[in-house]
Amino acid sequence: MSSHSLSILIVDDTPTNAKQLEAVARKLGHHTILAGNGEEAIARFQSEQPDLIFLDIMMPVMDGITAARHIRALPSEKWTPIVFFSALDQMQDIVRGLEAGGDDYIVKPASLHILRAKINSYARMLSLQREARANAEELRNWRMDAEEQSRLGAHVMSRLTDASGLRDPMIRHFNMPAETFSGDLLCAARAPGEVLNVLLADAAGHGLAAALSAMPLTQAFYSMTAKGFPLPSIAEELNRKLKSILPPDRFVAATLAAIDVRNQTVEVWNGGNPDALFLNARGEVAMQWASNHPPLGILPDKLFSGMTETVVFHEPGDLVLCSDGLTEAENPAGGWFSIDGVRDAMSQARGSEARFSSLLQGVMDHLGGHPGRDDISALLVSVPIDRRRQIRFDTPTPSHQGHLAEWRLDLSYGAQELRYIDVVPAVLGFVTQIQALKAHQGALFLIFSELFNNALDHGLLGLDSATKSWIGGFELYMRQRGERLAKLRTGRIDIAFQLHQIDSRAVLDISMTDTGPGFDFEKRLNNPDALGAGNELAYGRGIALVKNLCGQVVYSGNGNKVWVRYVVSDLIVESEEAEVETATQHSDGAGDDTDLVMF
Amino acid sequence: MLIANEVSGDRATLTLGGRFDFHSHRDFRSAYEKILETGAVREITIHFGEVDYLDSSALGMLLLLREKAEGTGKSVILAGLHGTVKQVLDIANFGKLFSIKA
């Protein structure tokens, strides 16, 4: 029995009847409202909103049947039971009453026991109704809350993951969420040396929780890519980040790839995703990278491996990454799309655009109009063979003003540090803080990484770049490099940067000295093959590139010292003159306290 | 999901059947919690013989079990892998995280 007190509207024109009912109701702890006819009943119903109505039928002014019809016609949020309490005891009277909107019919006179039992029974029902209404209300509020949060979440998420990098002309992608949120995350960005880095991550589960788990990856991926960190370091950092944030039962499967068109390599780290595929122009799988690692966010730092697999490509093609939502997409019979389905969908199509459409169409056809159970995503990178090996840097407008102050940076790395520090991004991080050099980040990355890798690979590690020209040689080279670097115990590389002014030009001199045995630079640099544009060898290409960007490259010692001069700007305009000649430019630079201002 | 639970001496075996996915959360947890509380048990074998589907939440549950088991000095072994179940565990490289028995 409910302890909740009801408010009961008693409608009767005979005061003794009304009093009898009132006495029973009050004794049970309920509150009563009295009305003497139908019209009064409607008015009291509207003003008092009772929980239960006892309604006589034969009354002056308006009878109970008419009153019941009126009451039922009124808009109401809750159900108010109407119990007819009448001396009319014919079958048709009872039917008429119930048809007019009554819920019950008690014939007068009724025993106190019956009246008490009826009131108690309605009290129970009304209490259940109240509970149900409260639950429904709560559920509605929850849903509205959830919808609002989803809306906000989806907005923030789309802003956070909306990367201009995905609009790269080499990239095509789709991401179909199973719910409002996708737990699949796609990222792409260019590293300073023109290398394209992509990431396809699939957080366990789907919906908001999954989307939230994948979120921390974006920032680390973009900032490390922008600084030119190698893929293994990025994988390690992403794992570290997730491991520290996620609970033990949450993880993120991920494929990271670096596409280097200049060196014709594709480097992949795959942890928990379906095979990454490289389809050649004939639609054959030329290369395949299976998952070699557990997903991100599971292993502690010291057990995690960021080891990647790098493959040289000799023909153009499409690199295809996908989440298991694609390979495990089910047709109405429950059959998976599978990695073979991915390959087959694209193998007949020619050209990246057609392949992309065929893949999307293929999985849609497979799903047969049903939504996917999991988030479905794929990312295609169309990988060209660029025979011209163009170096695409827009040299900033050579117009500087003000006096150029000299800036110098000297660094020295021993074997101990070289084993674990990513020297190139670390050093370039310093160098490109100098405002005059910011715009040259790409070119400086190429020059510096070439010089540094030569010093480390050939000088200290004794690797022979001729190895790279054999079939499978590049892979061997990379393996040897990893092994020898891990064992490096002696040796040192000294690096110096100097930004200064020569005549009217701002120049950056970079010199590098390693403690290795050096090489026969005269022979190497005079080898026309190594510098030729049509050269297919990875070997020697680096020096040619540096020469191309720097103009002045000088080897000395026994080849273990190199000095290059990079022209930052051709013309430095003294600020006094500039005020007159380029007033608008000057105002742009005003308030900037660096010595060299660039436009 | 169906779970049969068998403990003999220092070994416990959970034999799973049907779909092992995020709906199995409560059943799986209550099944292993009893075993984790049994001090004598050193080795917990999860047998997948009758499992026909495994999703990423199931992998998460296994990782959670592994963490809790390690906390009480027990090891977790995955057994009876076959078909798509084996495929899913292989792709996630769970062989590097758990002992696997045929």
Side-chain angles (χ1 to χ4, degrees):
Chain A
M1 199 194 301
S2 165
S3 58
H4 201 282
S5 163
L6 301 179
S7 108
I8 303 175
L9 173 60
I10 297 166
V11 190
D12 208 309
D13 59 329
T14 316
T16 37
N17 288 341
K19 290 286 173 211
Q20 182 204 19
L21 212 44
E22 191 176 30
V24 175
R26 287 202 171 160
K27 209 161 189 178
L28 290 171
H30 300 300
H31 166 70
T32 56
I33 306 153
L34 299 181
N37 61 57
E39 224 171 63
E40 224 177 288
I42 296 166
R44 301 308 295 271
F45 173 80
Q46 283 178 298
S47 63
E48 311 277 331
Q49 301 186 336
D51 301 308
L52 175 62
I53 305 171
F54 279 93
L55 189 55
D56 186 16
I57 291 180
M58 292 183 300
M59 288 180 293
V61 188
M62 184 192 282
D63 66 88
I65 298 288
T66 312
R69 288 208 182 96
H70 274 286
I71 287 171
R72 284 295 179 242
L74 291 171
S76 172
E77 281 185 12
K78 60 172 189 175
W79 168 67
T80 311
I82 296 177
V83 180
F84 282 108
F85 189 37
S86 168
L88 299 175
D89 61 353
Q90 294 304 300
M91 179 70 85
Q92 70 262 31
D93 299 320
I94 297 174
V95 169
R96 208 157 56 100
L98 297 179
E99 280 178 353
D103 298 283
D104 209 342
Y105 199 106
I106 304 173
V107 177
K108 281 179 193 165
S111 78
L112 293 179
H113 294 294
I114 289 285
L115 290 176
R116 207 182 293 136
K118 279 289 178 192
I119 291 175
N120 283 339
S121 150
Y122 278 103
R124 278 196 302 274
M125 268 193 268
L126 287 166
S127 143
L128 282 176
Q129 191 209 1
R130 243 192 327 268
E131 216 171 289
R133 264 163 49 96
N135 288 343
E137 174 89 350
E138 199 180 349
L139 208 58
R140 199 165 40 240
N141 288 342
W142 268 83
R143 214 186 58 199
M144 276 164 56
D145 251 22
E147 276 170 7
E148 178 55 22
Q149 286 183 18
S150 286
R151 201 186 56 76
L152 176 67
H155 177 85
V156 173
M157 214 72 84
S158 72
R159 288 299 161 91
L160 281 171
T161 53
D162 176 43
S164 54
L166 283 173
R167 292 190 283 274
D168 195 294
M170 276 167 70
I171 292 177
R172 287 167 183 81
H173 62 95
F174 60 80
N175 189 352
M176 300 185 275
E179 293 174 19
T180 320
F181 296 102
S182 180
D184 288 2
L185 177 76
L186 311 179
C187 298
R190 293 274 176 174
E194 287 280 282
V195 172
L196 175 66
N197 282 1
V198 296
L199 165 69
L200 188 147
D202 173 7
H206 41 82
L208 180 57
L212 212 52
S213 318
M215 229 42 248
L217 297 178
T218 48
Q219 210 201 343
F221 172 82
Y222 286 120
S223 74
M224 291 186 79
T225 295
K227 289 179 185 138
F229 278 93
L231 221 48
S233 303
I234 298 179
E236 281 164 21
E237 178 58 24
L238 297 183
N239 180 65
R240 197 175 301 133
K241 195 146 215 168
L242 288 182
K243 176 75 182 160
S244 69
I245 292 174
L246 298 182
D249 60 339
R250 290 282 174 175
F251 55 85
V252 179
T255 315
L256 275 160
I259 299 94
D260 185 343
V261 174
R262 192 168 62 83
N263 287 310
Q264 294 182 202
T265 60
V266 175
E267 181 183 10
V268 173
W269 184 94
N270 182 354
N273 267 340
D275 292 2
L277 306 176
F278 188 94
L279 291 181
N280 65 17
R282 295 177 299 286
E284 299 153 355
V285 175
M287 299 178 253
Q288 196 157 357
W289 293 263
S291 160
N292 260 334
H293 306 275
L296 298 171
I298 297 174
L299 288 172
D301 213 15
K302 59 178 191 290
L303 295 179
F304 181 82
S305 165
M307 208 208 282
T308 54
E309 219 180 313
T310 305
V311 179
V312 180
F313 58 90
H314 300 285
E315 50 184 346
D318 292 287
L319 176 69
V320 188
L321 314 184
C322 65
S323 66
D324 63 6
L326 181 66
T327 51
E328 293 177 17
E330 287 183 2
N331 61 17
W336 284 4
F337 191 53
S338 81
I339 195 75
D340 294 342
V342 173
R343 183 198 59 209
D344 295 345
M346 291 185 293
S347 62
Q348 296 305 314
R350 290 291 170 264
S352 303
E353 190 60 48
R355 279 182 179 169
F356 177 72
S357 321
S358 302
L359 178 60
L360 190 54
Q361 193 56 50
V363 68
M364 293 312 254
D365 291 348
H366 187 82
L367 285 166
H370 298 283
R373 256 213 305 248
D374 195 1
D375 308 318
I376 301 176
S377 66
L379 189 149
L380 261 77
V381 184
S382 68
V383 184
I385 293 282
D386 188 356
R387 295 203 182 276
R388 292 163 299 153
R389 302 201 203 299
Q390 268 185 340
I391 301 147
R392 283 162 295 183
F393 289 109
D394 299 324
T395 314
T397 322
S399 164
H400 299 282
Q401 64 187 74
H403 177 70
L404 178 75
E406 282 208 3
W407 171 82
R408 195 179 162 86
L409 177 69
D410 281 282
L411 293 159
S412 181
Y413 289 95
Q416 181 81 15
E417 288 73 39
L418 291 169
R419 282 208 302 274
Y420 71 92
I421 293 181
D422 290 320
V423 172
V424 175
V427 170
L428 279 168
F430 266 131
V431 173
T432 52
Q433 303 257 314
I434 302 297
Q435 203 183 359
L437 300 176
K438 246 178 205 145
H440 300 267
Q441 195 190 14
L444 292 177
F445 182 89
L446 283 177
I447 296 163
F448 183 69
S449 58
E450 260 338 307
L451 298 180
F452 178 80
N453 289 335
N454 279 342
L456 181 64
D457 291 15
H458 311 314
L460 298 191
L461 302 178
L463 292 161
D464 183 358
S465 56
T467 314
K468 290 189 200 169
S469 58
W470 311 339
I471 297 284
F474 189 87
E475 293 79 355
L476 175 66
Y477 182 93
M478 293 309 288
R479 199 164 56 243
Q480 284 178 344
R481 185 182 193 276
E483 289 164 3
R484 292 188 193 179
L485 185 59
K487 286 187 207 138
L488 188 68
R489 289 292 175 275
T490 57
R492 178 161 289 281
I493 297 176
D494 295 322
I495 302 158
F497 291 89
Q498 191 183 8
L499 178 66
H500 57 121
Q501 189 175 334
I502 298 279
D503 303 327
S504 65
R505 304 166 119 190
V507 296
L508 178 72
D509 294 346
I510 306 173
S511 60
M512 195 156 332
T513 308
D514 64 73
T515 53
F519 72 107
D520 188 349
F521 54 90
E522 284 179 5
K523 187 175 151 203
R524 181 74 56 85
L525 292 180
N526 292 329
N527 176 0
D529 269 0
L531 303 175
N535 165 35
E536 270 299 307
L537 304 180
Y539 162 81
R541 204 183 286 160
I543 299 172
L545 176 77
V546 172
K547 215 159 174 168
N548 198 326
L549 288 167
C550 289
Q552 294 188 67
V553 179
V554 179
Y555 278 87
S556 59
N558 47 11
N560 63 335
K561 287 185 184 185
V562 62
W563 174 93
V564 303
R565 171 161 287 170
Y566 176 77
V567 177
V568 178
S569 73
D570 282 332
L571 181 69
I572 294 175
V573 185
E574 291 302 325
S575 58
E576 289 82 5
E577 299 165 41
E579 254 176 36
V580 186
E581 289 173 16
T582 52
T584 49
Q585 289 186 353
H586 186 73
S587 69
D588 285 341
D592 202 322
D593 57 6
T594 18
D595 299 305
L596 186 69
V597 184
M598 287 184 20
F599 295 94
Chain B
M1 186 179 65
L2 308 162
I3 305 178
N5 182 344
E6 191 191 313
V7 180
S8 87
D10 63 352
R11 289 175 187 201
T13 305
L14 283 181
T15 305
L16 313 182
R19 287 179 72 90
F20 187 15
D21 59 17
F22 66 99
H23 296 297
S24 322
H25 223 281
R26 210 185 323 178
D27 293 346
F28 185 65
R29 194 179 51 203
S30 59
Y32 73 63
E33 267 173 357
K34 273 174 259 163
I35 295 174
L36 289 178
E37 284 163 14
T38 313
V41 172
R42 296 283 109 212
E43 196 181 280
I44 305 168
T45 302
I46 310 290
H47 200 281
F48 290 87
E50 303 296 318
V51 176
D52 42 47
Y53 178 79
L54 189 73
D55 75 353
S56 60
S57 341
L59 298 182
M61 289 179 236
L62 291 174
L63 290 172
L64 196 60
L65 166 63
R66 172 172 162 272
E67 172 132 330
K68 289 186 173 175
E70 279 172 0
T72 57
K74 301 173 177 26
S75 62
V76 180
I77 296 171
L78 309 183
L81 311 182
H82 62 96
T84 57
V85 169
K86 183 172 175 355
Q87 207 180 317
V88 169
L89 289 166
D90 279 348
I91 289 179
N93 279 275
F94 266 38
K96 292 180 177 162
L97 308 169
F98 293 88
S99 310
I100 306 265
K101 240 194 257 172

